Amino acid sequence: MLTAVLILSLLGLISAVGLGVASRVFYVEIDPLVEKLTEVLPGANCGGCGYAGCAGFAAALAAKEVGINDCSVADSDTKQTLARLLGVELTETAKEVAVVHCKFDPSKMQNRFEYKGVSSCKAANMLGGQLDCSYGCLGFGDCVKACNFNAIVIKDGLAEVIPEKCTSCGMCVEACPRNLIQIHSLAQKVLVLCSNKDKAKAVSSVCKIGCIACNKCVKACPVEAISMVNQIAVIDDEKCIACGACARECPTNCIFDFGETHYVAQINDKCTGCTLCALKCPAGAISGDKKQMHVVDPKKCVRCRICYDICNFESIELVNEEGKIMIPPRPKKQRKKKKDSGEAA
Amino acid sequence: MKTRRFPGGVHPPEKKLTAKVPVVKLPAPEEIVVPLSMHIGAPAKPLVARGDRVLRGQAIAEPGGFVSAYIHSPVSGKVKKIEPRPHPMGRALPSIVIINDGLDECVDFQPVDDWRNAEPDTLIAAIQKAGIVGMGGALFPTHVKLKPPPQFTIDTVIINGVECEPYLTADHRLMLEQPEKVLEGLRIILRILGLKKGYIGIEANKPDAIELLRMKTANADDIEIVDLHVKYPQGGEKTLIYACTGREVPSGGLPMNCGCVVQNVGTMAAICDAITEGKPLMERNVTVTGECIKNPVNLLARIGTPISKLIEAAGGFTETPAKIIGGGPMMGMTQSSLDVPVTKGTSGLVCLPPSLVSTSDPSPCLRCGSCVRHCPFHLLPTDIVRLVKAGRVDEAADLGLMDCCECGSCSYICPSHIELLQWMRLGKAEVMANRKKTA
Amino acid sequence: MTSLLLIAVSAVLVNNFVLARFLGICPFLGVSKRVETAFGMGMAVIFVMTMAGIVTWLLQTYVLTPLGAGYLQTIVFILVIAAFVQFVEMVIQKMRPSLYQALGIFLPLITTNCAVLGMAVLTIQSGYTFIEMLFFSVAAGIGFTLALVLLAGLRERIEFSEVPESMSGAAIALITAGLLSLAFMGFAGLV
């Protein structure tokens, strides 16, 4: 028994000393922070951040080359954890999603030719695309293959994004050979879903719901957020107030309003005449003298709700065409009690 | 000259239905649509505007870059508009639309005086002014090819009279009907490059052309007619160089890397016209053929003629075609509109009935190796395509993807009907896009 | 000399540790996705096998047997192998960080790799001399590397083949490994 103990102890000692020396000689500096960050990150390795994978992004985070918000896949809990690990403040950014700017009527879109070949949008596009419209979605699903989150599907030959699953990583944007997909904030509810850059006659001959650059939307917009670029209407997301006026005016219905239903504003007799709503109205639809009851011109009202949000006297309600109140006035906001600086704690 | 057989290649049925049909001049149509992009390189820039009157032979567009070409009006008339029009490459591209006034009023053609003693640079300038590009289909601006960078010494000129594509006979008829122009064009090239001898390669399935040209050069020691074994793609410049000289163009290289210049016979005739008559490139031989064409014929058509007119001149269709191919069935581009115009590279229109067009869906690869055996450049189409399908284009490029000349032999021979050529094209496009991104 | 060559050939081909003796299947299937990683693992195993072989042989011959402590063989051998594996791990982490990442958990698992312990014990059981043991351990390592690299090469090619979905992944890998083993049976009777 003594031999056993001696042999093992001696061997153990020799190994320990040997390994101890070796560990000094072959010392490798590893940043434990990078490892912790890699563990916390989603691990999808989607490449949306531009780095070769979550490990690459973690290393860049630790080296302060990128910000936490550069990972569009991480949800807010993950981002909080990352912020804690890095010891930084987290600034919230609005959720963004990809949008496919094409929504032709599948029952009406014709094919120029029957395509037989590799089932890929890139391949079909090299031959000019099988659709009559040279700009529309070819429906072979290059974007679907590129998506790591199953957030885009092909329905009736058209690509459609599932906003709940979309992480705005941008892989689909790159994959589309016709550059139909763009990233928008989820708050952007009004979208122009056509990418046809041809002139009106050419557009309407291939698709009845294409943008013909008639400029009606440009005239209708109260905040000049929409303009014609290359024969298509383009909305400036920063300026847009999502009133939906352009979508209502568009003769071909290529502008889609995904927001709630818009109702006209109406002022009731609680109005104190503070003129705040008249000042803020982008369409100039409210008129009235100071301290007198104001009036909304329903024909000019663009239903943007700016007055509704501003009025603190429960005086503005939203009504439908028959005059029925659909949304009652916003309740008065309680003023926050200010702390008296001189008061004892 | 001792010839060799290049490795690989396939033997599609020759189907030269129009080999014995003389060329017929097609009258110019009422509306001519001249694309600004019918050459390798930057699209040409218009020199005319809407409403201008143009004469036949007048330059209506100038080169848009170093590698680009002049374009001339094939008719006299008025410019109707300049707008995107259907193009043989698939998408609509900017084109100059001219309404033909039927007068065929020409500009003053200016031939080169005494070309035999002219400076090579004068001749090259005349060729450039005439808007001549490679008429075999590659459409490379000829004046650029004839002035290779100084580090390359050219010692061999080979004229391509092979026409290995099934159905096409445009070059064959040109050699039979205008042999003097072809020979004169070659002599002009020899003068430009400072060489004493040139070769014309012709496939053995054109014995009449070989005999005629041999007869015409019987007492000349500056031109030799080389008859070549019939195999597709003998007419590709790299296989042609190998068959005639035994030299291999290095991977990623060009014929000038091994001292050779290759030109098409049609380009020769165009050069002869430009130098001796001062006529720019305005028309070309087009073979209208296929089993559903009533009277297959070879036409001399003006650039910009809609192909519907050519089909009309060939008697129309006997049945609705399944495919109308611009070019030959191996490398040509299927057309989706009959409004597409004839361009400088349209060698033929092959209209195939449904019975001759395969509609099989691809099945999994058998690893049979047929594609490897038949590739003229020793590539591995099966592995390259697998890598392209898996998105690993860089590894595919390592296997030689960029050396593929897109001859289509692999797709033709594949028993599983895999679209090998289309995948190769997709892979090449992706490699080029990646190179642009990192550049 | 012939007997030494016979030992070597036998260890590499006829009685290949992985494909004939079915030892070391864990890294065989776990590290054979890419040829580069497989080759790296193979080199590590050759080193460990050789060094461990030498030390265990010396220990068995000059310490354990004379002192009648043959019962300590298993634990002593494992201790020695573990020490060498830890050493190799440190070296690889320093010299080839990418390989270290690629091998991941399989590097420390060489300790419990039955191929290494198996080789050490087989040497003693076969009663090899020092030189014979040397040839045997190096050849065993080479045989292991060969099997790994072969399977990795095959799996890389299978990766972009059109395998039916129900057979893809582990299923086709195991079937291929079985076929590889079947192929190696062709060496039976060579020595």
Side-chain angles (χ1 to χ4, degrees):
Chain A
M1 185 175 95
L2 195 61
T3 16
V5 172
L6 272 172
I7 290 172
L8 283 173
S9 319
L10 218 62
L11 269 175
L13 192 66
I14 296 171
S15 309
V17 169
L19 285 174
V21 169
S23 73
R24 288 287 154 81
V25 174
F26 293 103
Y27 182 63
V28 170
E29 199 70 66
I30 32 162
D31 191 352
L33 178 63
V34 174
E35 281 191 33
K36 276 204 214 119
L37 290 172
T38 317
E39 265 171 61
V40 174
L41 283 169
N45 289 326
C46 67
C49 55
Y51 288 89
C54 297
F57 184 70
L61 262 181
K64 298 202 172 36
E65 284 167 19
V66 281
I68 297 174
N69 283 316
D70 285 320
C71 172
S72 50
V73 181
D75 58 21
S76 65
D77 287 330
T78 316
K79 286 191 180 170
Q80 297 285 359
T81 321
L82 288 170
R84 205 172 17 91
L85 283 171
L86 286 165
V88 292
E89 278 292 313
L90 183 64
T91 43
E92 287 289 335
T93 50
K95 174 157 157 92
E96 291 185 317
V97 288
V99 174
V100 180
H101 284 264
C102 176
K103 206 162 169 62
F104 58 73
D105 183 345
S107 60
K108 301 222 178 76
M109 178 57 73
Q110 306 277 356
N111 284 352
R112 286 193 294 148
F113 55 79
E114 191 200 322
Y115 173 72
K116 248 201 118 24
V118 173
S119 203
S120 151
C121 308
K122 266 207 182 93
N125 196 39
M126 276 171 98
L127 302 169
Q130 82 278 12
L131 297 178
D132 266 347
C133 176
S134 309
Y135 304 87
C137 173
L138 294 168
F140 288 108
D142 280 7
C143 49
V144 178
K145 286 188 201 102
C147 182
N148 282 299
F149 306 99
N150 295 321
I152 192 165
V153 290
I154 302 289
K155 258 212 271 196
D156 290 326
L158 259 179
E160 237 181 73
V161 177
I162 303 170
E164 298 81 44
K165 290 192 182 169
C166 177
T167 60
S168 65
C169 68
M171 294 282 105
C172 57
V173 178
E174 264 189 63
C176 179
R178 292 189 154 183
N179 299 316
L180 289 173
I181 308 183
Q182 287 168 36
I183 306 284
H184 291 273
S185 159
L186 197 57
Q188 182 58 35
K189 297 289 184 198
V190 182
L191 298 157
V192 179
L193 295 185
C194 174
S195 306
N196 192 322
K197 299 185 179 70
D198 286 341
K199 296 214 175 110
K201 201 162 113 187
V203 177
S204 47
S205 64
V206 298
C207 181
K208 292 285 171 256
I209 45 180
C211 176
I212 51 172
C214 63
N215 274 292
K216 276 205 175 145
C217 55
V218 179
K219 292 190 198 112
C221 180
V223 291
E224 290 180 1
I226 192 167
S227 54
M228 283 300 155
V229 180
N230 283 331
Q231 309 286 327
I232 327 173
V234 174
I235 295 177
D236 183 345
D237 285 6
E238 311 267 307
K239 291 188 183 161
C240 176
I241 55 172
C243 67
C246 53
R248 289 191 290 275
E249 283 301 316
C250 179
T252 55
N253 294 319
C254 67
I255 306 184
F256 287 74
D257 185 349
F258 295 106
E260 300 157 359
T261 324
H262 300 275
Y263 298 109
V264 173
Q266 184 175 277
I267 297 175
N268 63 22
D269 46 16
K270 286 199 186 151
C271 174
T272 60
C274 70
T275 74
L276 208 54
C277 56
L279 285 167
K280 290 285 178 192
C281 176
I286 305 181
S287 52
D289 301 316
K290 245 195 181 141
K291 302 265 180 38
Q292 303 291 323
M293 183 162 142
H294 280 49
V295 151
V296 177
D297 179 356
K299 288 204 193 65
K300 282 193 180 167
C301 175
V302 287
R303 314 176 206 186
C304 62
R305 295 192 185 204
I306 287 179
C307 56
Y308 179 83
D309 288 330
I310 270 273
C311 180
N312 208 26
F313 297 102
E314 295 180 0
S315 168
I316 297 190
E317 53 217 7
L318 300 176
V319 300
N320 66 5
E321 276 111 28
E322 278 93 52
K324 175 167 168 218
I325 298 175
M326 302 304 294
I327 300 180
R330 177 179 62 71
K332 267 197 191 160
K333 269 201 195 116
Q334 292 301 324
R335 252 201 249 152
K336 286 197 189 126
K337 282 217 163 78
K338 281 208 185 119
K339 259 202 194 139
D340 198 339
S341 48
E343 224 175 280
Chain B
M1 187 185 231
K2 175 174 169 279
T3 59
R4 292 148 200 85
R5 298 210 181 167
F6 66 87
V10 290
H11 296 273
E14 290 171 29
K15 301 257 181 112
K16 303 279 187 183
L17 309 173
T18 48
K20 304 243 187 278
V21 181
V23 176
V24 171
K25 215 170 181 170
L26 182 69
E30 283 157 12
E31 188 180 89
I32 287 264
V33 178
V34 182
L36 288 168
S37 211
M38 34 183 187
H39 47 258
I40 301 265
K45 291 195 291 226
L47 288 167
V48 295
R50 191 171 159 175
D52 286 354
R53 175 137 206 279
V54 292
L55 300 174
R56 173 168 152 85
Q58 176 181 337
I60 53 176
E62 58 180 358
F66 175 63
V67 179
S68 190
Y70 279 94
I71 298 181
H72 301 80
S73 174
V75 296
S76 60
K78 195 154 138 187
V79 176
K80 180 173 167 194
K81 45 173 92 172
I82 302 176
E83 63 174 8
R85 281 290 181 106
H87 189 280
M89 289 308 285
R91 302 161 294 148
L93 290 175
S95 313
I96 300 178
V97 184
I98 302 171
I99 302 296
N100 184 8
D101 62 9
L103 301 172
D104 259 355
E105 203 182 312
C106 303
V107 292
D108 239 337
F109 292 133
Q110 311 252 306
V112 174
D113 282 325
D114 189 22
W115 68 261
R116 285 188 173 74
N117 294 316
E119 283 299 314
D121 280 337
T122 318
L123 297 170
I124 292 179
I127 289 173
Q128 179 181 14
K129 270 256 131 73
I132 297 180
V133 298
M135 289 168 70
L139 300 170
F140 192 80
T142 308
H143 67 276
V144 179
K145 213 185 223 187
L146 291 175
K147 213 171 177 187
Q151 66 260 40
F152 297 110
T153 15
I154 306 296
D155 61 13
T156 315
V157 171
I158 306 172
I159 304 305
N160 193 344
V162 175
E163 202 161 41
C164 52
E165 284 259 17
Y167 291 101
L168 301 186
T169 57
D171 288 347
H172 185 186
R173 292 310 307 179
L174 179 71
M175 289 189 286
L176 282 176
E177 295 174 30
Q178 318 226 331
E180 295 85 7
K181 283 202 178 170
V182 174
L183 297 171
E184 194 84 328
L186 174 52
R187 293 195 164 105
I188 296 171
I189 302 267
L190 290 173
R191 166 100 193 128
I192 292 175
L193 293 169
L195 295 172
K196 298 242 167 38
K197 190 158 183 191
Y199 303 90
I200 303 183
I202 306 177
E203 256 186 347
N205 58 5
K206 303 174 189 44
D208 46 3
I210 296 174
E211 207 187 298
L212 177 64
L213 284 172
R214 282 216 166 120
M215 198 182 72
K216 298 259 169 195
T217 54
N219 296 321
D221 52 1
D222 59 345
I223 297 182
E224 186 183 322
I225 311 300
V226 182
D227 59 330
L228 297 161
H229 176 64
V230 180
K231 188 161 67 162
Y232 178 86
Q234 182 62 80
E237 58 183 9
K238 292 179 186 171
T239 43
L240 183 59
I241 291 173
Y242 180 77
C244 289
T245 65
R247 298 180 201 171
E248 278 185 10
V249 175
S251 166
L254 290 165
M256 56 182 170
N257 284 84
C258 48
C260 297
V261 161
V262 179
Q263 293 278 359
N264 178 271
V265 286
T267 318
M268 290 301 102
I271 289 177
C272 175
D273 278 342
I275 302 291
T276 59
E277 294 179 43
K279 267 167 83 171
L281 180 52
M282 297 177 289
E283 54 213 15
R284 63 158 300 142
N285 275 1
V286 182
T287 306
V288 184
T289 179
E291 276 78 354
C292 54
I293 287 280
K294 193 146 174 232
N295 305 315
V297 66
N298 297 296
L299 296 167
L300 179 62
R302 309 221 190 169
I303 308 288
T305 310
I307 61 176
S308 52
K309 295 278 181 247
L310 279 85
I311 292 170
E312 227 178 270
F317 298 124
T318 53
E319 60 180 298
T320 316
K323 273 199 186 206
I324 300 175
I325 306 175
M330 296 297 282
M331 284 183 79
M333 194 109 179
T334 311
Q335 302 302 314
S336 56
S337 158
L338 290 178
D339 295 328
V340 164
V342 168
T343 67
K344 290 179 182 175
T346 311
S347 43
L349 283 170
V350 181
C351 307
L352 297 174
S355 55
L356 286 179
V357 174
S358 158
T359 47
S360 316
D361 283 323
S363 0
C365 172
L366 306 172
R367 307 295 272 166
C368 67
S370 295
C371 55
V372 178
R373 230 173 317 137
H374 291 272
C375 176
F377 296 128
H378 304 290
L379 298 177
L380 301 166
T382 176
D383 281 346
I384 293 176
V385 167
R386 267 163 211 258
L387 287 166
V388 171
K389 275 186 187 176
R392 290 149 70 163
V393 282
D394 293 320
E395 291 169 60
D398 286 335
L399 279 178
L401 169 63
M402 300 312 282
D403 287 324
C404 169
C405 69
E406 298 182 21
C407 69
S409 299
C410 51
S411 278
Y412 180 79
I413 209 76
C414 177
S416 294
H417 306 286
I418 300 175
E419 312 100 336
L420 292 166
L421 179 56
Q422 198 177 11
W423 279 111
M424 294 285 219
R425 283 185 172 148
L426 275 172
K428 280 171 128 186
E430 200 167 323
V431 172
M432 300 293 278
N434 287 347
R435 282 187 188 167
K436 255 200 197 145
K437 257 193 243 170
T438 50
Chain C
M1 193 60 204
T2 349
S3 63
L4 290 172
L5 275 174
L6 282 175
I7 291 174
V9 171
S10 164
V12 176
L13 294 175
V14 184
N15 290 315
N16 185 291
F17 266 70
V18 180
L19 296 171
R21 295 189 203 261
F22 304 119
L23 298 172
I25 302 294
C26 164
F28 178 58
L29 289 172
V31 185
S32 58
K33 273 205 154 163
R34 306 218 63 193
V35 175
E36 271 178 79
T37 338
F39 193 69
M41 172 62 119
M43 292 295 109
V45 167
I46 292 179
F47 176 77
V48 172
M49 273 192 176
T50 317
M51 298 312 295
I54 293 172
V55 176
T56 53
W57 189 92
L58 288 170
L59 278 173
Q60 179 77 33
T61 319
Y62 295 117
V63 179
L64 295 180
T65 320
L67 293 175
Y71 57 89
L72 287 178
Q73 184 186 69
T74 311
I75 196 162
V76 165
F77 280 21
I78 288 181
L79 192 108
V80 170
I81 294 168
F84 277 115
V85 170
Q86 185 64 61
F87 180 72
V88 164
E89 213 186 307
M90 281 191 255
V91 173
I92 291 184
Q93 191 180 16
K94 179 89 179 179
M95 300 297 181
R96 292 264 184 278
S98 54
L99 178 63
Y100 182 77
Q101 294 282 7
L103 288 173
I105 196 84
F106 289 98
L107 193 49
L109 252 52
I110 300 179
T111 318
T112 48
N113 186 346
C114 49
V116 185
L117 184 61
M119 184 283 305
V121 172
L122 275 169
T123 318
I124 308 303
Q125 279 181 0
S126 312
Y128 285 147
T129 62
F130 187 76
I131 294 292
E132 284 175 343
M133 173 278 303
L134 215 56
F135 268 72
F136 184 61
S137 53
V138 174
I142 292 174
F144 181 83
T145 311
L146 181 68
L148 238 68
V149 169
L150 281 173
L151 188 65
L154 288 166
R155 282 181 84 179
E156 271 194 359
R157 300 285 285 255
I158 291 174
E159 203 183 304
F160 47 80
S161 292
E162 282 149 30
V163 182
E165 219 180 303
S166 51
M167 299 272 275
S168 56
I172 198 71
L174 284 165
I175 292 175
T176 313
L179 288 169
L180 191 56
S181 176
L182 196 65
F184 265 63
M185 279 176 76
F187 289 118
L190 186 66
V191 286

